[in-house]
Amino acid sequence: MGLIGIGVGMLGFLTHQIIDCLIKLKWKLVENYLQNGNFHMTWICILGSGLAMILVSSGFVVFFCPAGVPCGLPEVIGFLNGASIQHIFNIKTFLGTFVSCVLAVASGLFCGPEGPMIHLGAIIGCGLSQLKSDTLGIHLPFFTRFQNSADKRNFITAGAGAGIASVFRAPVGGLLFTLEEVASFWDVRLAWQTFFCCLMATFTTDLLSSSLDGFVYRGHFGFFEAEKGILFWVKNLLDLSILAFIPTIFLGILGGLLGALFVSLNIKINKLRMRFFSSISKLFLRKTSKLLDSMMILVCTVTITVYLPYFFPCTPVRTLRTSQLKNNTEITKQFKKEIAEYTCTPATPWIGPDGVKYYNQTFNQAAALLAENGRRGITYLFRRGTHEEFGYTSLFTAVVFYFLLSCWTAGSAVASGLVIPMLYTGALYGRIVGLILVSIFGVQTNGYGAWIDPGLFAAIGAASFVSGVSRLTVSLTVIMIEITNDVQSLLLVMVAVMVAKMIGDWFNLPLYSSLLKLKCIPYLDSEPFASQRKKWLNLELFSARDVMEPCVRVLHLKEKIVSLAQLLANTSHGGFPVVYKSEPDQAEVFLGTITRLELCMLLENEPIFETETNEDTFSCDLLLSYQKITVEKLPDPPRTTMLLNHYSADPRYQRLFINLEPYINKSAVSVQAHFSLQRTYIIFRTLGLRHLTVVDLQNRVVGIITRKDLMPFQLEERLGLQLASQRLDLDE
Amino acid sequence: MGLIGIGVGMLGFLTHQIIDCLIKLKWKLVENYLQNGNFHMTWICILGSGLAMILVSSGFVVFFCPAGVPCGLPEVIGFLNGASIQHIFNIKTFLGTFVSCVLAVASGLFCGPEGPMIHLGAIIGCGLSQLKSDTLGIHLPFFTRFQNSADKRNFITAGAGAGIASVFRAPVGGLLFTLEEVASFWDVRLAWQTFFCCLMATFTTDLLSSSLDGFVYRGHFGFFEAEKGILFWVKNLLDLSILAFIPTIFLGILGGLLGALFVSLNIKINKLRMRFFSSISKLFLRKTSKLLDSMMILVCTVTITVYLPYFFPCTPVRTLRTSQLKNNTEITKQFKKEIAEYTCTPATPWIGPDGVKYYNQTFNQAAALLAENGRRGITYLFRRGTHEEFGYTSLFTAVVFYFLLSCWTAGSAVASGLVIPMLYTGALYGRIVGLILVSIFGVQTNGYGAWIDPGLFAAIGAASFVSGVSRLTVSLTVIMIEITNDVQSLLLVMVAVMVAKMIGDWFNLPLYSSLLKLKCIPYLDSEPFASQRKKWLNLELFSARDVMEPCVRVLHLKEKIVSLAQLLANTSHGGFPVVYKSEPDQAEVFLGTITRLELCMLLENEPIFETETNEDTFSCDLLLSYQKITVEKLPDPPRTTMLLNHYSADPRYQRLFINLEPYINKSAVSVQAHFSLQRTYIIFRTLGLRHLTVVDLQNRVVGIITRKDLMPFQLEERLGLQLASQRLDLDE
């Protein structure tokens, strides 16, 4: 766990450093052009470098990642829910995602590094815990005791949490995010392991950031400044009035509406994209068009970021006099970045009438909002006491473009995260609402009115939008506290989050559930839902019989090699029930299950085949160790297929048998056909099963239920038929 | 949910206000004596008022609460785990706990109001969701849809969370505490409901506190000051050095050791107490001796708090010059309370050489630490920049007495919480460690050394001790953030918490688990543990057969009234498997279960008895609605007993039958006898069962497993026998 944490922490540090360096480099390139007001050259330079980055970024995804699409959070969620997804945790995916994510963020697209970081964290968790890589062919002898699927799942969960913890420097937030959104199964022990892992990740990131900045040693090793550790530190807390809850609820509603809109828009765009790409038959063309898609997004983004600020004048850096505010900590900081200065003249110091050194620095509002990367923009927006730093026009422009472009970006062929853009969009409209309040009531600095601060509402808006899109509650609240260090506004944030979630749930599913559905990952919710004609069905009224697959291929304890081979070759089921007849005149009863993989592994070992056909003697000698047959995937699928064909064809195997008894899982759960469907679902889901055998009262196998049978659309279809037939009966 | 939150919030506000008022009143009484140095009169007054309070407090517990002991968190935990505990959620318990808790804290005992508040919150959650009270005989028609055990459990969980949220003003902390410690079953929806409930509770408490102070309207309605909202607000964050982790780890180790010591001491004291009380046979004497016990504790406590400060001189209020510190917010506040002043002369203002008004206020260190109530003491200890406010002697004295007395108090016959005393003890030794560091390195005020601050280490120490005792991790960390608003020291707190938990786990169980064990509440951990000769057993190697109760009374679909009545009268089982014979020559197979309560309710309705004995016709008409027979407890137990006797005796009922078919639970889970014990346990625990029928391959009932069969000691006993017999077999 510690190792995973350190690994993820280092990775998070690397990601940030590389992104920062690349962005700095990019803007350094065009500094001169900008100062001279040469927009076209700036545009060309930025676009050129951006395109190069995107090309590599998309290329890595398209050619390295499985299926040519970036996989991220939805796949991890699906995997932890129990769906089997191929190749999401191998080293090629890791490389592809890492390079793609870093370059995509650096290129200037409206996306953040969080989603990919969670995925990368999960991969590190998986890889370090297993210490083996099938792709690289490495199998180290350590940690073999962790090589079972339960422990693997735990390590993946911990790694995913560490990813969030490292990006946001929010260890508790990372942990809670994992528990709320990512993990389907967890207990207190897993929470505790993830806690440790997140702690180590944050610590490592902090430690490295404290000593290195842009890969240059700064001489502060091991010295954590509050300034750097807390991402969007809010320095002065405000006393709140109960009136602040009114705009907060309004922001919550807005967040819910916009969030729902964002989700449905994003899903629509992704559906369109999928349909378009699947209409292209040639593999190469399809890949190229994916590249083109992401490049088009970049062209739009860069054009907007470079040309738009042109229409905005330079604004002097205005601040409230510090003495007017209650807590007189130093509030204003100069914009040090050259990007925000844009074409404005650089700052010149002058001494004010009260003896304090002032800088008449000017900056371009739109440049500060659009051209900077999201993280810095959020810092600007959250800052307190800067009531009139940004005007309506720049905020409105930014929010519209950011909303649309980030919606378009998410789902394209680059590995990109959505959290930073979501926070940013929310902060923008939050600040607009704050600004409206300021316009109405004026700049208030006395105790009772101090809550009318656009910075406060930016933070609340950010929380509401994230909640509206992702429907997170607890983890989001904790992350907001951890990144702003503002417990005082906790209640406001909670109210906004809650309202946004309720409004959003009214309209559609959360983003990640929608993506899971879009990607056809069989994800089982913790409770079953099925509707028929817009009405929820009461699943207590249906039974397991109604959804089970009635045609089951059962195996006997002694099976002919030939029939086994044919069975495996002709079907693609993942598991088979094994039945057993205790006495010749008795019915065959359900004994246990055996999986496809185990059967395949057994068949690869010819020495265990038996010739005798005597049904009575069951030698329980374990000829093959369990370790050998419980593998996660076939070591050599083509060979197995060949072997199966060989077995089916060769008449010699007609007379050979295999004794399955020692290998079956005798603790396989079964339900009776009359069990209520609700109960069946709960059993399936809480025990995390893949196959559930359905038996009758005499314990004879009558059907089998798999994950796919319990998916909502499948449930709805089968139950619809059921209801229709009932209605027919009634009519007759 | 909102209602529960508001209710709990109001309750929390009430509790605090009453406690504060009572304490103020008490010390006002003795103000004059103190100023005159008349210790004996002070002692008599304080002791007298304290004794009166304790008498009422203990009296309420002894005569109102079930079994004459205060029940609190362990019972709630046990109930939510599935154990059935009588009377913990009725209105008498509520009253008893509330009065007892308020008076106990006000009387000056070293205890806090948290544990009882959780219990009270749970009762409110239970009562408001059901809107009925069996004790009061009130049954309102609303919310009947929530009157099932799953929803009730959810409401209780939410109420418990709201209790914590209201006491600490920590909504997220309350939620996490519930999830980590209190609830055994939960999903995302429950988390979300609890979130809402905690939010409302905190909001209500804040709102009421903002407007009323000591029941006097202050004119600030709806105006939340950061000062009041954040319990132990730490105002200046410190930049940390990596070196700060060394004392933190040391504090963690110390916290783990002391925590383990505290747990074992407390359990020993409670065992002694139980043995002593149970040796007294007379009920009245036993109750009186319980009262005496708590009074004895009070006498000790009061004597120490009043006389000890006598030996300490007055200390002037010293502070670092504010300008020396980095963030120059106002750090020092005058001690306004008269208790801390004790016998010292009141403050006189004087003007310093730099034109600032100084107060040469003096205070008594020991009085500030011991005589004040815990909450204010913690505020003193957490304060930053007050390096030398308290000396070694006063801190050492306080920590020793606090540790011992709070250990003695916990478990006596008053409803008392442990969190505030734990935080306090931890803060005391944390400050000692901080003071040692200051002594070694001197008072550092520059950037690199600013972390050497006793206030910081007090907070870390507090977290480490709570973790050492309760082994909480995530929720404790979040609560610490929420009460101090210090994200910067988050990493340090996390490290301390983690180390303390690891060290503590090395020695013994967490406090609440130990209390559960002590109180014989059948609590099932999420994973089974059983040891034999100090070695953990691998439960995969055992089967369900090894622990099941093989002698089961099974019922048939049609049962004679007489035999049912006799069965119910002679056994005390909670549920019975029902078997069914489809054809005469077939074996009887397991069909479902029926609970004792359902049987009793059925028997009370004579009209449904049938006379025919025809086994073949099963009329499935539901003569009684389910609502009538699914009750939580018998409405009138004596009548049922009488009825059962009547049925058994009267020969008329020999010929009457009852058809159980419509009433049995057909979705009852069963496992096969050869199932691995590990798997059986997991099924039992994750599905939250009370009875698990064990069947053989032909689905015939062979045994039953109940909660008690899976308790660790029971497992160990049965498996020990099993192992012994195996060993015998081997020897032969």
Side-chain angles (χ1 to χ4, degrees):
Chain A
M1 281 297 161
L3 271 181
I4 296 175
I6 294 172
V8 177
M10 280 166 63
L11 188 78
F13 166 72
L14 264 183
T15 314
H16 274 309
Q17 292 292 316
I18 296 178
I19 292 175
D20 282 352
C21 279
L22 282 176
I23 292 181
K24 223 182 258 173
L25 217 72
K26 202 173 67 174
W27 285 99
K28 201 135 215 164
L29 207 69
V30 295
E31 202 176 345
N32 278 327
Y33 297 122
L34 254 184
Q35 289 296 335
N36 303 333
N38 191 339
F39 282 108
H40 306 300
M41 267 314 285
T42 313
W43 183 73
I44 290 171
C45 279
I46 296 278
L47 190 64
S49 56
L51 278 183
M53 289 183 199
I54 276 296
L55 201 65
V56 180
S57 165
S58 265
F60 261 84
V61 165
V62 170
F63 294 104
F64 265 28
C65 285
V69 286
C71 48
L73 201 43
E75 279 82 0
V76 177
I77 296 174
F79 179 86
L80 291 176
N81 188 261
S84 64
I85 298 158
Q86 297 290 309
H87 304 301
I88 57 163
F89 292 126
N90 68 20
I91 203 153
K92 255 170 82 182
T93 317
F94 179 79
L95 258 180
T97 311
F98 179 68
V99 172
S100 170
C101 154
V102 167
L103 290 177
V105 178
S107 75
L109 282 183
F110 289 162
C111 63
E114 310 75 27
M117 265 307 290
I118 297 172
H119 185 201
L120 293 175
I123 298 179
I124 289 185
C126 179
L128 276 186
S129 70
Q130 315 286 299
L131 270 192
K132 65 169 189 183
S133 160
D134 293 329
T135 318
L136 293 185
I138 297 171
H139 287 265
L140 290 178
F142 314 110
F143 297 138
T144 36
R145 55 176 286 236
F146 293 135
Q147 287 181 11
N148 61 62
S149 54
D151 279 330
K152 188 174 165 190
R153 216 169 46 209
N154 286 359
F155 282 109
I156 289 171
T157 311
I164 279 276
S166 163
V167 168
F168 286 114
R169 315 258 170 96
V172 184
L175 162 63
L176 292 176
F177 178 82
T178 322
L179 300 186
E180 193 172 345
E181 185 70 41
V182 183
S184 296
F185 304 96
W186 76 283
D187 49 45
V188 172
R189 207 201 311 175
L190 172 60
W192 151 242
Q193 288 170 344
T194 313
F195 181 80
F196 180 52
C197 189
C198 291
L199 169 62
M200 290 311 294
T202 316
F203 176 73
T204 312
T205 311
D206 270 2
L207 191 64
L208 287 174
S209 314
S210 75
S211 56
L212 297 170
D213 192 8
F215 296 111
V216 180
Y217 182 68
R218 292 191 310 135
H220 288 294
F221 181 79
F223 178 62
F224 301 148
E225 288 169 89
E227 192 71 41
K228 302 206 84 185
I230 304 170
L231 220 52
F232 310 118
W233 192 9
V234 171
K235 289 235 187 67
N236 43 338
L237 305 193
L238 302 167
D239 291 340
L240 297 175
S241 161
I242 193 170
L243 291 173
F245 282 94
I246 300 169
T248 301
I249 290 172
F250 175 71
L251 275 177
I253 296 173
L254 204 64
L257 290 176
L258 287 177
L261 183 70
F262 187 90
V263 172
S264 68
L265 229 117
N266 188 254
I267 296 296
K268 283 231 175 76
I269 291 175
N270 276 331
K271 264 189 192 153
L272 257 176
R273 196 175 263 149
M274 273 168 77
R275 202 172 305 150
F276 175 70
F277 288 140
S278 57
S279 70
I280 303 170
S281 54
K282 263 199 186 152
L283 187 71
F284 180 74
L285 266 180
R286 199 189 306 161
K287 287 190 172 177
T288 320
S289 61
K290 277 181 185 172
L291 283 182
L292 278 177
D293 172 46
S294 31
M295 282 157 100
M296 222 158 68
I297 300 173
L298 185 77
V299 172
C300 291
T301 314
V302 167
T303 311
I304 286 166
T305 50
V306 172
Y307 281 102
L308 209 69
Y310 177 68
F311 301 106
F312 286 89
C314 291
T315 319
V317 175
R318 257 180 301 175
T319 56
L320 290 175
R321 285 295 312 281
T322 48
S323 56
Q324 288 174 332
L325 282 158
K326 204 179 160 203
N327 301 3
N328 39 358
T329 38
E330 192 193 339
I331 291 153
T332 45
K333 294 190 59 192
Q334 314 305 327
F335 287 82
K336 285 194 198 110
K337 291 291 296 182
E338 53 269 26
I339 311 175
E341 271 180 22
Y342 202 59
T343 55
C344 303
T345 47
T348 48
W350 59 287
I351 309 293
D354 45 356
V356 183
K357 208 175 185 184
Y358 282 101
Y359 291 89
N360 68 341
Q361 198 180 16
T362 53
F363 74 107
N364 187 307
Q365 292 185 358
L369 291 179
L370 286 171
E372 298 260 9
N373 74 353
R375 261 177 78 187
R376 190 153 287 121
I378 296 174
T379 321
Y380 293 156
L381 292 175
F382 278 11
R383 200 176 293 152
R384 300 280 163 83
T386 53
H387 292 64
E388 286 164 345
E389 198 165 280
F390 296 102
Y392 286 112
T393 344
S394 56
L395 288 173
F396 261 115
T397 325
V399 81
V400 169
F401 283 115
Y402 228 93
F403 185 84
L404 293 177
L405 281 175
S406 64
C407 198
W408 187 12
T409 311
S412 67
V414 292
S416 62
L418 261 176
V419 184
I420 288 278
M422 286 194 298
L423 279 175
Y424 200 42
T425 314
L428 284 169
Y429 73 71
R431 213 172 164 100
I432 292 176
V433 170
L435 214 55
I436 293 172
L437 284 176
V438 170
S439 304
I440 297 173
F441 297 105
V443 177
Q444 303 275 340
T445 45
N446 65 326
Y448 281 92
W451 59 270
I452 305 178
D453 189 317
L456 172 67
F457 289 106
I460 296 171
S464 77
F465 191 64
V466 178
S467 166
V469 174
S470 66
R471 315 289 152 79
L472 292 171
T473 52
V474 191
S475 52
L476 177 61
T477 317
V478 173
I479 291 179
M480 286 305 292
I481 300 179
E482 285 189 305
I483 61 180
T484 61
N485 190 37
D486 180 6
V487 173
Q488 179 59 15
S489 63
L490 172 63
L491 278 181
L492 293 178
V493 169
M494 283 175 86
V495 169
V497 162
M498 219 180 56
V499 174
K501 183 191 151 74
M502 288 199 289
I503 300 281
D505 277 342
W506 184 271
F507 287 103
N508 51 19
L509 289 172
L511 180 66
Y512 296 121
S513 306
S514 307
L515 285 178
L516 279 169
K517 218 168 148 186
L518 185 73
K519 297 191 175 188
C520 295
I521 296 169
Y523 179 85
L524 288 184
D525 246 317
S526 64
E527 283 199 36
F529 294 107
S531 62
Q532 208 75 46
R533 298 179 187 178
K534 305 262 171 200
K535 269 164 59 180
W536 294 115
L537 295 174
N538 181 358
L539 297 188
E540 292 282 1
L541 301 179
F542 296 91
S543 67
R545 193 184 284 116
D546 299 331
V547 296
M548 73 184 185
E549 180 57 53
C551 312
V552 201
R553 292 293 304 264
V554 295
L555 299 177
H556 300 84
L557 276 185
K558 290 220 171 181
E559 277 283 342
K560 278 187 196 163
I561 300 298
V562 172
S563 53
L564 264 186
Q566 280 169 349
L567 179 71
L568 290 177
N570 299 334
T571 65
S572 61
H573 302 319
F576 302 92
V578 179
V579 297
Y580 158 77
K581 198 186 274 191
S582 58
E583 286 155 52
D585 60 330
Q586 288 267 314
E588 286 175 327
V589 295
F590 172 65
L591 187 66
T593 57
I594 192 161
T595 66
R596 181 187 193 79
L597 278 176
E598 285 161 356
L599 281 179
C600 288
M601 292 308 289
L602 282 176
L603 286 183
E604 291 199 351
N605 293 276
E606 274 209 53
I608 63 164
F609 297 168
E610 294 169 11
T611 46
E612 78 226 75
T613 54
N614 189 350
E615 287 272 343
D616 292 340
T617 60
F618 287 110
S619 62
C620 264
D621 301 335
L622 203 59
L623 296 166
L624 229 64
S625 71
Y626 281 115
Q627 296 223 319
K628 273 203 180 147
I629 65 159
T630 49
V631 290
E632 271 175 53
K633 54 184 176 188
L634 287 175
D636 188 3
R639 187 168 150 261
T640 310
T641 319
M642 208 198 62
L643 211 63
L644 288 182
N645 289 333
H646 170 64
Y647 288 149
S648 319
D650 196 331
R652 191 162 61 90
Y653 293 100
Q654 287 277 9
R655 287 186 309 277
L656 283 179
F657 288 84
I658 192 166
N659 179 11
L660 297 177
E661 163 125 56
Y663 310 107
I664 61 176
N665 171 16
K666 288 192 184 171
S667 298
V669 182
S670 62
V671 293
Q672 297 198 334
H674 60 252
F675 262 36
S676 88
L677 187 52
Q678 178 91 18
R679 188 86 185 151
T680 310
Y681 187 101
I682 298 287
I683 292 174
F684 195 94
R685 175 61 175 73
T686 47
L687 296 178
L689 305 176
R690 283 181 198 236
H691 318 282
L692 178 61
T693 314
V694 181
V695 296
D696 68 1
L697 280 174
Q698 274 72 41
N699 201 20
R700 291 174 299 210
V701 176
V702 294
I704 197 163
I705 292 175
T706 59
R707 180 170 281 269
K708 290 215 171 66
D709 295 324
L710 293 178
M711 292 298 296
F713 64 93
Q714 187 82 8
L715 276 185
E716 280 163 18
E717 194 186 310
R718 296 232 176 133
L719 298 183
L721 289 175
Q722 196 76 18
L723 283 175
S725 69
Q726 279 176 13
R727 220 167 289 125
L728 271 180
D729 290 354
L730 283 178
D731 289 351
E732 283 167 10
Chain B
M1 280 298 160
L3 271 182
I4 296 175
I6 293 171
V8 178
M10 281 166 64
L11 188 78
F13 165 72
L14 265 184
T15 315
H16 274 310
Q17 292 291 316
I18 296 177
I19 291 175
D20 282 352
C21 279
L22 282 177
I23 292 181
K24 223 181 256 172
L25 217 72
K26 201 173 67 173
W27 285 99
K28 203 134 215 164
L29 207 70
V30 296
E31 203 177 343
N32 278 325
Y33 297 121
L34 254 184
Q35 289 295 335
N36 302 331
N38 191 339
F39 283 108
H40 306 299
M41 268 313 286
T42 313
W43 181 74
I44 290 170
C45 281
I46 296 279
L47 189 63
S49 56
L51 278 184
M53 290 183 199
I54 275 295
L55 202 64
V56 180
S57 165
S58 264
F60 262 85
V61 166
V62 169
F63 295 104
F64 265 30
C65 285
V69 287
C71 48
L73 201 45
E75 279 81 1
V76 177
I77 297 174
F79 179 86
L80 290 175
N81 188 259
S84 65
I85 298 159
Q86 297 290 309
H87 305 301
I88 56 163
F89 292 126
N90 68 19
I91 203 152
K92 255 169 84 181
T93 318
F94 178 80
L95 258 181
T97 311
F98 179 69
V99 172
S100 170
C101 153
V102 167
L103 289 178
V105 178
S107 75
L109 282 183
F110 289 164
C111 62
E114 310 75 26
M117 266 306 291
I118 297 171
H119 185 202
L120 292 175
I123 298 178
I124 289 185
C126 178
L128 276 186
S129 70
Q130 316 284 299
L131 270 191
K132 66 169 188 182
S133 159
D134 293 328
T135 317
L136 292 186
I138 297 171
H139 287 265
L140 290 177
F142 314 110
F143 297 139
T144 38
R145 55 177 287 238
F146 293 135
Q147 287 181 12
N148 63 61
S149 55
D151 279 331
K152 189 175 163 190
R153 215 169 48 208
N154 286 358
F155 282 109
I156 289 172
T157 311
I164 280 275
S166 163
V167 167
F168 286 115
R169 313 259 171 96
V172 184
L175 162 63
L176 292 176
F177 179 82
T178 321
L179 300 185
E180 192 172 346
E181 185 70 41
V182 182
S184 297
F185 304 95
W186 76 283
D187 48 45
V188 172
R189 208 201 310 176
L190 173 59
W192 151 242
Q193 288 170 342
T194 312
F195 181 81
F196 180 53
C197 189
C198 291
L199 169 61
M200 290 310 295
T202 316
F203 176 72
T204 312
T205 311
D206 271 2
L207 191 64
L208 288 173
S209 314
S210 75
S211 55
L212 298 170
D213 193 8
F215 296 110
V216 181
Y217 182 68
R218 291 191 309 134
H220 289 294
F221 181 79
F223 179 62
F224 301 150
E225 288 170 89
E227 191 72 40
K228 301 207 86 184
I230 304 169
L231 221 52
F232 310 117
W233 192 10
V234 171
K235 289 236 186 65
N236 43 338
L237 305 194
L238 302 166
D239 292 340
L240 297 175
S241 161
I242 193 171
L243 291 174
F245 282 94
I246 300 168
T248 301
I249 290 172
F250 176 71
L251 274 177
I253 296 172
L254 204 63
L257 290 175
L258 286 178
L261 183 68
F262 187 91
V263 172
S264 68
L265 229 116
N266 187 256
I267 296 296
K268 282 230 176 76
I269 290 175
N270 276 332
K271 264 189 191 154
L272 257 176
R273 197 176 263 149
M274 274 168 76
R275 203 172 304 150
F276 176 70
F277 288 139
S278 57
S279 70
I280 303 170
S281 53
K282 264 199 186 150
L283 188 71
F284 179 74
L285 267 179
R286 200 191 303 161
K287 287 189 171 175
T288 320
S289 62
K290 275 181 186 171
L291 284 182
L292 278 177
D293 172 45
S294 32
M295 282 157 97
M296 221 159 70
I297 299 173
L298 185 77
V299 172
C300 291
T301 313
V302 168
T303 312
I304 286 166
T305 50
V306 172
Y307 281 102
L308 210 69
Y310 176 69
F311 301 106
F312 287 90
C314 293
T315 320
V317 176
R318 257 181 301 177
T319 56
L320 289 175
R321 285 295 312 281
T322 48
S323 56
Q324 289 175 332
L325 282 158
K326 205 181 160 199
N327 302 2
N328 39 358
T329 38
E330 192 193 337
I331 292 153
T332 47
K333 294 189 58 192
Q334 314 305 328
F335 286 82
K336 284 192 200 113
K337 290 290 295 181
E338 54 267 27
I339 312 176
E341 271 180 21
Y342 202 59
T343 56
C344 303
T345 47
T348 48
W350 58 288
I351 311 292
D354 45 357
V356 184
K357 207 176 186 184
Y358 282 102
Y359 290 89
N360 69 340
Q361 198 180 16
T362 53
F363 73 107
N364 188 307
Q365 291 185 1
L369 290 179
L370 286 171
E372 299 261 8
N373 75 352
R375 263 176 77 186
R376 188 152 291 119
I378 296 175
T379 322
Y380 294 155
L381 292 175
F382 279 10
R383 200 176 294 152
R384 300 279 161 83
T386 53
H387 292 64
E388 286 164 346
E389 198 165 281
F390 296 102
Y392 286 112
T393 343
S394 56
L395 288 172
F396 260 115
T397 324
V399 81
V400 169
F401 283 114
Y402 229 93
F403 185 84
L404 293 177
L405 281 174
S406 63
C407 198
W408 188 12
T409 311
S412 68
V414 291
S416 61
L418 262 175
V419 183
I420 289 277
M422 286 193 298
L423 280 175
Y424 199 41
T425 315
L428 283 169
Y429 72 71
R431 213 173 164 99
I432 293 177
V433 170
L435 213 55
I436 293 172
L437 285 175
V438 170
S439 305
I440 297 172
F441 298 105
V443 176
Q444 303 274 339
T445 46
N446 65 327
Y448 282 92
W451 60 270
I452 305 179
D453 188 318
L456 172 67
F457 289 106
I460 295 171
S464 77
F465 191 64
V466 178
S467 165
V469 174
S470 66
R471 314 289 152 77
L472 292 170
T473 52
V474 190
S475 52
L476 177 61
T477 317
V478 173
I479 291 178
M480 286 305 292
I481 300 178
E482 285 189 303
I483 59 180
T484 60
N485 191 36
D486 180 7
V487 173
Q488 179 60 14
S489 63
L490 172 63
L491 279 181
L492 294 178
V493 170
M494 283 176 87
V495 169
V497 161
M498 217 179 59
V499 173
K501 183 191 150 73
M502 289 199 288
I503 300 281
D505 277 343
W506 184 271
F507 287 103
N508 51 19
L509 289 171
L511 181 66
Y512 296 121
S513 306
S514 307
L515 285 178
L516 280 169
K517 219 167 150 187
L518 185 73
K519 297 191 175 188
C520 294
I521 296 169
Y523 179 86
L524 288 183
D525 246 317
S526 64
E527 283 199 35
F529 294 107
S531 61
Q532 209 75 46
R533 298 177 185 181
K534 306 260 171 200
K535 269 165 58 182
W536 294 114
L537 293 174
N538 181 0
L539 298 188
E540 292 282 2
L541 301 179
F542 296 91
S543 67
R545 193 184 284 117
D546 299 331
V547 295
M548 72 183 184
E549 181 57 53
C551 311
V552 201
R553 292 292 303 264
V554 296
L555 298 176
H556 300 84
L557 276 186
K558 291 221 173 182
E559 277 282 343
K560 277 188 199 162
I561 301 296
V562 172
S563 54
L564 264 185
Q566 280 169 351
L567 179 70
L568 289 176
N570 299 334
T571 64
S572 60
H573 302 319
F576 302 93
V578 178
V579 297
Y580 159 77
K581 198 186 272 190
S582 58
E583 287 154 51
D585 59 328
Q586 288 267 315
E588 286 174 327
V589 295
F590 172 65
L591 187 66
T593 57
I594 191 161
T595 66
R596 180 187 194 78
L597 278 176
E598 285 160 357
L599 282 178
C600 287
M601 292 308 289
L602 282 177
L603 286 184
E604 292 200 352
N605 292 277
E606 275 209 53
I608 61 165
F609 296 169
E610 294 168 12
T611 47
E612 78 226 77
T613 54
N614 189 350
E615 288 271 344
D616 291 340
T617 60
F618 286 109
S619 63
C620 265
D621 302 335
L622 204 59
L623 297 167
L624 230 67
S625 72
Y626 281 115
Q627 296 223 318
K628 273 205 180 147
I629 65 160
T630 49
V631 290
E632 271 175 52
K633 54 183 172 188
L634 286 176
D636 187 4
R639 187 169 151 263
T640 310
T641 319
M642 209 198 61
L643 211 63
L644 287 183
N645 290 333
H646 170 65
Y647 289 149
S648 319
D650 196 333
R652 192 164 59 90
Y653 293 101
Q654 287 279 8
R655 289 186 308 278
L656 284 178
F657 288 83
I658 193 166
N659 180 11
L660 297 177
E661 164 124 57
Y663 310 108
I664 61 176
N665 170 15
K666 287 191 184 172
S667 298
V669 183
S670 62
V671 295
Q672 298 199 334
H674 59 252
F675 262 35
S676 88
L677 187 51
Q678 178 93 19
R679 187 88 185 149
T680 310
Y681 187 100
I682 298 287
I683 292 174
F684 195 93
R685 175 62 175 72
T686 48
L687 296 178
L689 306 177
R690 284 182 196 234
H691 317 283
L692 179 61
T693 315
V694 182
V695 297
D696 68 0
L697 281 174
Q698 274 71 40
N699 199 19
R700 289 174 301 209
V701 176
V702 294
I704 197 162
I705 291 175
T706 59
R707 180 171 281 268
K708 290 218 170 67
D709 295 325
L710 293 177
M711 293 297 297
F713 64 94
Q714 187 81 7
L715 276 184
E716 280 164 19
E717 194 187 309
R718 295 232 176 133
L719 298 182
L721 288 175
Q722 196 76 17
L723 283 175
S725 69
Q726 278 175 13
R727 219 167 289 124
L728 270 180
D729 290 353
L730 283 178
D731 288 351
E732 282 167 10

